Amino acid sequence: MEEPLCCCEYVDRRGRRNHLAACCCDCRELDEGCDRWLTCRSLPPGALERIVDDVADRCRVPWFAGAVKINVSLVPPLVLLPVFLHVAALHFLLGLVVLTSLPVVVLWYYYLTHRRKERTLFFLSLGLFSLGYMYYVFLQEVVPRGQVGHSQVVLLTSGLVLMLAALLRAKKDPGYLPIPAGDAKSSHQDFPNKNLRGSSNGLHGVATAGAASGRAVNGEAKGYSRASAEGPEGVRKDWCAKCQLVRPARAGHCRLCGRCVRRLDHHCVWINSCVGEQNHQAFILALSFFMLTSVYGITLTLDTVCRGRTLFVALFYCPGAYSDYSSALSFTCVWYCAIVTAGMGYILLIQLLNISYNVTEREARLALRDNTGRRLLGGLVIDTGQYNRGFLCNWGHFLSLGSPPPLRSAEDIV
């Protein structure tokens, strides 16, 4: 019988027993990469990925039943964000450079991970640590100045707790379709082996069961066959070749999660999960609480650092903000919060417009790809026209998401 792992031992990605003390030993990929770099030779294909995987596998901390692996994507926000903000507080020009480069770096990393279709905890770590660090700076630098009352601190804290509660609910099951254990073969037989024409996703196209579909759109990957069929009550459904199941209308397959989700809206990197039928309401609630709490915190901080000026004027003109380091750090954090709030406000605006027209982000992108939707409000929303039943009915349907079938709107019936 194999001995249990001690706190410093672990099983590596090759299935071998290893020790934390040997983290720098027997690393052939890294040794070969250094040799090639010193001799100015190019790395072979896939060598860099193997080096990264090997280093990530050895980043562990001791634990009771064996060393626990650390997700490397969690670390950069915890280290870089405080450093960048403290550097930005040293001088106005440094603040301008840092606060301009931060969104560029985040967008670049998002583009990199989105192109490679990789899941990462970087954005969730950045969001949660930004909230915690901004709250810490508020309590340490703003509250001691005596301009913020206890009731205001309690109100701000309550908004933060409510937002985290909504975020926790949004992180739960978005509405994954159960993968059948032994029904894959029978599901294949439900579809005739011929071309069928359908519009279950707001598009019109010809698809063959088992044939590859079009290019990837918002998590929908190449190689997924889409064959529509009529259910017993006239409900449009289609077939997912990856999950081997029949999925209802408006459901979609997420490449990052590897699952089909009911009424899939999009995969949100900020919560590292899909937004679907079961968590869309909590997602909107979390965004709304974040906007209210962030704007309130920005207002309290600017009223303390830049007294006697309105919110908008103080944000752009605050004499004496860099007179001492405490004020400079508070003002820098205000600008960081303002940039993040503007980005999240744009996401919330698009979500509210999509709900008003009863269209998901996935359906909007598919409609743009196939030129089947109408651009409205300067292109902010794409109306597919398939599920739009008017403003009140659309919002009534959204508020009933996740309810039992008798309480649901019969929108899937075309």
Side-chain angles (χ1 to χ4, degrees), residues 11-130:
V11 178
D12 61 17
R13 63 191 183 98
R14 296 182 180 87
R16 297 179 301 185
R17 192 162 177 157
N18 216 326
H19 197 277
L20 287 179
C23 62
C24 297
C25 303
D26 191 24
C27 188
R28 291 174 294 179
E29 289 85 0
L30 185 58
D31 293 339
E32 182 183 358
C34 292
D35 291 340
R36 286 180 172 269
W37 177 70
L38 292 174
T39 56
C40 299
R41 291 182 297 167
S42 61
L43 292 175
L48 185 59
E49 288 77 5
R50 291 193 298 269
I51 292 174
V52 173
D53 292 340
D54 205 27
V55 172
D57 186 54
R58 299 181 182 213
C59 291
R60 297 173 180 265
V61 294
W63 200 246
F64 298 104
V68 179
K69 183 178 178 181
I70 301 175
N71 195 311
V72 180
S73 60
L74 290 171
V75 179
L78 307 182
V79 177
L80 297 180
L81 182 64
V83 173
F84 283 161
L85 290 179
H86 279 275
V87 171
L90 294 175
H91 194 271
F92 169 75
L93 293 179
L94 285 174
L96 184 63
V97 172
V98 170
L99 293 176
T100 303
S101 61
L102 272 178
V104 176
V105 172
V106 172
L107 289 175
W108 170 80
Y109 186 72
Y110 170 76
Y111 170 77
L112 182 66
T113 55
H114 184 73
R115 185 181 62 180
R116 299 176 61 179
K117 299 299 179 184
E118 293 180 351
R119 295 191 68 175
T120 175
L121 293 175
F122 173 84
F123 299 98
L124 179 61
S125 173
L126 177 62
L128 292 178
F129 185 68
S130 296

Side-chain angles (χ1 to χ4, degrees), residues 25 38-39 49 72 91 147 202 235 279 285 311 362 394:
C25 303
L38 292 174
T39 56
E49 288 77 5
V72 180
H91 194 271
Q147 303 297 326
V235 178
N279 67 342
L285 199 61
L311 176 63
R362 173 176 173 269
N394 293 339

Side-chain angles (χ1 to χ4, degrees), residues 144-398:
R145 293 172 177 263
Q147 303 297 326
V148 179
H150 294 290
S151 60
Q152 294 171 317
V153 175
V154 170
L155 186 58
L156 182 70
T157 306
S158 301
L160 185 63
V161 171
L162 290 174
M163 191 219 68
L164 291 176
L167 183 63
L168 182 63
R169 174 61 187 86
K171 280 284 296 176
K172 293 183 178 180
D173 181 15
Y176 292 124
L177 290 173
I179 299 178
D183 298 338
K185 183 176 180 180
S186 62
S187 299
H188 276 292
Q189 299 172 356
D190 292 339
F191 294 91
N193 189 18
K194 62 180 180 179
N195 289 346
L196 298 174
R197 190 174 186 84
S199 58
S200 63
N201 288 311
L203 342 159
H204 299 277
V206 178
T208 304
S213 64
R215 62 183 178 87
V217 177
N218 195 29
E220 197 80 24
K222 296 180 180 179
Y224 295 106
S225 59
R226 298 177 56 249
S228 63
E230 294 289 343
E233 300 178 356
V235 178
R236 304 258 178 158
K237 299 182 178 182
D238 65 342
W239 171 257
C240 177
K242 285 291 183 179
C243 295
Q244 298 291 297
L245 54 79
V246 180
R247 59 191 185 193
R250 310 192 76 176
H253 187 93
C254 177
R255 285 185 65 186
L256 300 178
C257 295
R259 297 284 298 276
C260 283
V261 181
R262 292 183 179 274
R263 197 182 178 276
L264 175 63
D265 189 85
H266 69 287
H267 182 94
C268 180
V269 296
W270 294 105
I271 65 174
N272 194 34
S273 177
C274 288
V275 176
E277 184 177 80
Q278 297 295 326
N279 67 342
H280 202 167
Q281 296 173 351
F283 179 73
I284 296 297
L285 199 61
L287 282 176
S288 302
F289 278 128
F290 171 80
M291 293 295 299
L292 294 175
T293 305
S294 179
V295 171
Y296 186 60
I298 290 174
T299 303
L300 292 178
T301 304
L302 287 179
D303 285 343
T304 302
V305 178
C306 309
R307 300 190 62 185
R309 289 178 172 80
T310 61
L311 176 63
F312 186 78
V313 173
L315 192 61
F316 291 94
Y317 181 69
C318 182
Y322 286 86
S323 59
D324 61 276
Y325 189 76
S326 176
S327 299
L329 181 61
S330 302
F331 189 71
T332 301
C333 291
V334 162
W335 258 106
Y336 176 74
C337 289
I339 294 173
V340 175
T341 303
M344 295 300 169
Y346 176 77
I347 295 175
L348 179 60
L349 174 63
I350 297 300
Q351 286 289 313
L352 296 179
L353 290 175
N354 286 343
I355 294 170
S356 300
Y357 285 90
N358 203 356
V359 61
T360 64
E361 185 68 21
R362 173 176 173 269
E363 292 167 349
R365 297 197 182 194
L366 290 172
L368 281 179
R369 185 194 70 180
D370 291 356
N371 198 24
T372 59
R374 295 185 302 133
R375 290 179 177 268
L376 302 175
L377 302 178
L380 289 177
V381 64
I382 307 298
D383 182 19
T384 62
Q386 187 174 5
Y387 302 107
N388 190 357
R389 301 294 183 267
F391 181 84
L392 294 179
C393 290
N394 293 339
W395 272 96
H397 164 71
F398 174 76

